[in-house]
Structure formats: C-alpha cells, structure tokens
Amino acid sequence: MEASKVIHAIYTDDDVLMSAVKTVKAEKYHIEEIYTPFPVHGLDKAMGLAPTRLAITAFLYGCVGITVATVMMNFIMIQDWPQDIGGKPSFSYLENMPAFVPIMFELTVFFAAHLMVITFYLRSRMWPFKKAENPDPRTTDDHFLMEIAVHNNEESLTNLLKNTGAVEINIVNKDEDAH
C-alpha cells in the first residue's frame, strides 16, 4: 500500500489564501483541510463546505431548556410547596407565568449554550488531553496552511500552488506525520 501523500502550501496573507482556494477549487483539486490562525470570512463557502447544523441543535437544546424550566417551576412552585408570596395566587402555573418568564429565559439560554458547546466539542472530536493535529505550529501565529491530497500529480499541483502565491510548499507523508 502506498503512503498517502499531501502537499502543505503555506501562505502569509488571508486574501492570497482566499484567492488560492478559489483557484485550486476551480482546477478540481480536493482541499483536505485549511489551518488558519484566525477565522477567515467566506473560507467555508470558497471551500464548498456544507452549512453547519449547529443552529438547529441550539434551537432543540433551547426547547429542552424551556421544557425543563416549565416542568421544574410547575412542580416546585405550584404542586410541591405552593406559597403565597406578595399576595400572588398559586392555584395554577398559567396565573403565575409572568413571574416565571425570567427563569424560563435563563434556563433556555443555559441549556442551549452549554449543550451546544458540548456538541461542538464532540462533533469536532476535541476532548481533554487530545494531542493537537496541527501540522505546522506557525499556523497558530501568522501563517495559513492548505493541505491537498496528492494523487500522482505532484508537479502540476506544485506549479499551480506556486502561481497562487504560496511562500512555501512541502510534500508530506500523512502516515509518518500521524505517528
């Protein structure tokens, strides 16, 4: 079995990187990954990545939060231990709902925020003590790295990347990099 090779093209400017991504995609090459020191606006669209579904999970987690808040307040304040606080009746949840709106809002936000973070970390496979997968430490400072799989097209791909403004081009065996 042949070792899987990738080309690491390094750029020093995000605008040059964006232009290079568009050029590489127009030439029908598959970009494996791009490592950047900060989010580059529009890069996901230029790479052709599918839109995130994290907003859908946020809505669902918010629904869980408001449900938990409603059930909790109904049980605590109406069924389990009803109290006459400031003359407010405790006959039903609906009569007291205006007083419960801040709690409903806060638990909706709490559940959505915390469960979204957990979902993001699990989906990204980022857990505590995980070894960094960043192939070049300069991408955490001021360089951008585009990783493209090589399929017997090293020379043409290298020439294309030089023309797009890459300041450094390295051919790396992915299997050796993983160890």
Side-chain angles (χ1 to χ4, degrees):
M1 183 177 144
E2 182 182 319
S4 58
K5 286 185 182 179
V6 292
I7 287 186
H8 288 169
I10 297 177
Y11 297 87
T12 54
D13 183 67
D14 57 329
D15 292 329
V16 175
L17 171 75
M18 184 66 82
S19 174
V21 167
K22 291 175 183 173
T23 304
V24 169
K25 291 302 280 185
E27 293 290 326
K28 306 288 189 229
Y29 288 106
H30 175 68
I31 299 172
E32 296 286 329
E33 187 65 76
I34 295 181
Y35 299 90
T36 64
F38 54 83
V40 178
H41 180 71
L43 187 59
D44 52 342
K45 189 176 275 189
M47 286 179 64
L49 298 177
T52 179
R53 295 185 301 262
L54 203 54
I56 297 167
T57 61
F59 175 75
L60 294 175
Y61 296 151
C63 290
V64 169
I66 199 165
T67 302
V68 167
T70 303
V71 170
M72 179 189 76
M73 290 182 298
N74 184 56
F75 177 74
I76 293 172
M77 299 300 291
I78 306 301
Q79 294 175 2
D80 185 44
W81 194 1
Q83 299 177 49
D84 186 357
I85 301 172
K88 293 179 182 171
S90 57
F91 303 124
S92 73
Y93 179 83
L94 287 176
E95 288 177 319
N96 288 318
M97 197 177 78
F100 296 154
V101 167
I103 299 166
M104 291 163 47
F105 172 77
E106 291 299 332
L107 279 180
T108 300
V109 172
F110 179 86
F111 271 72
H114 286 79
L115 292 175
M116 265 182 28
V117 168
I118 291 168
T119 300
F120 173 75
Y121 282 141
L122 290 174
R123 184 70 179 98
S124 300
R125 298 179 181 180
M126 292 173 31
W127 34 77
F129 312 112
K130 181 178 189 237
K131 189 175 180 276
E133 295 177 0
N134 196 347
D136 191 326
R138 294 177 293 175
T139 60
T140 62
D141 187 20
D142 61 350
H143 285 65
F144 305 85
L145 185 143
M146 184 189 314
E147 185 176 274
I148 305 170
V150 175
H151 303 291
N152 298 324
N153 55 357
E154 291 176 30
E155 193 174 326
S156 62
L157 189 52
T158 303
N159 291 335
L160 174 68
L161 292 170
K162 281 180 187 169
N163 292 336
T164 62
V167 295
E168 185 179 322
I169 298 171
N170 302 314
I171 298 173
V172 180
N173 283 336
K174 193 80 165 171
D175 299 334
E176 290 174 6
D177 202 31
H179 297 299

